[in-house]
Amino acid sequence: RTYLCSYLERGAHRERLIVAVWNPIEAFDGKILDNRKRIGEHFYEAWRAVSPDDHVEIPTQIRIAGLAAGSVKEMALYDLLAESTEAAPGEPLEFDAAPDALLSPEIRVGPMPTILVIDIR
């Protein structure tokens, strides 16, 4: 299961839809969260080695209903690990537009949020 949050930024001179999507699996240093339990006020976690059967990154497409084909100027993927703010905006992404929806290209969704920024006309 993947998670998605969105935010509509309305400014004086532009509107942008910001979409964050991520796979809630936690992985680092070759370890993956096996389980998490709450006992009273404390949380206890058990970690295990990642196996080939674990889906840490999931290829997916995002469909955004309610955006007409002509209402999107550009879609870009942002790099949250970029060294500077100027380097964060990625190259514009090609997208498919139906009369009532926008479909992103296939992207790989992992534990670190993937950020799409859609400039709206």
Side-chain angles (χ1 to χ4, degrees), residues 13-105:
H13 302 288
R14 71 174 176 193
E15 284 189 333
R16 300 191 308 176
L17 179 63
I18 301 164
V19 178
V21 61
W22 67 96
N23 178 8
I25 196 165
E26 297 179 41
F28 68 95
D29 294 334
K31 300 283 185 186
I32 195 166
L33 183 63
D34 187 46
N35 65 67
R36 179 181 288 142
K37 295 178 185 174
R38 181 176 181 173
I39 300 174
E41 296 296 316
H42 301 283
F43 288 91
Y44 297 90
E45 297 177 343
W47 294 82
R48 64 173 173 76
V50 175
S51 78
D53 295 330
D54 294 320
H55 299 286
V56 176
E57 286 189 341
I58 299 170
T60 191
Q61 287 185 304
I62 298 171
R63 183 180 186 279
I64 303 168
L67 284 178
S71 66
V72 177
K73 289 187 214 174
E74 183 177 83
M75 176 189 286
L77 189 67
Y78 270 54
D79 181 3
L80 294 179
L81 300 176
E83 293 184 17
S84 68
T85 303
E86 292 77 26
E91 295 295 318
L93 294 176
E94 295 294 322
F95 57 88
D96 291 325
D100 63 344
L102 177 77
L103 185 63
S104 78

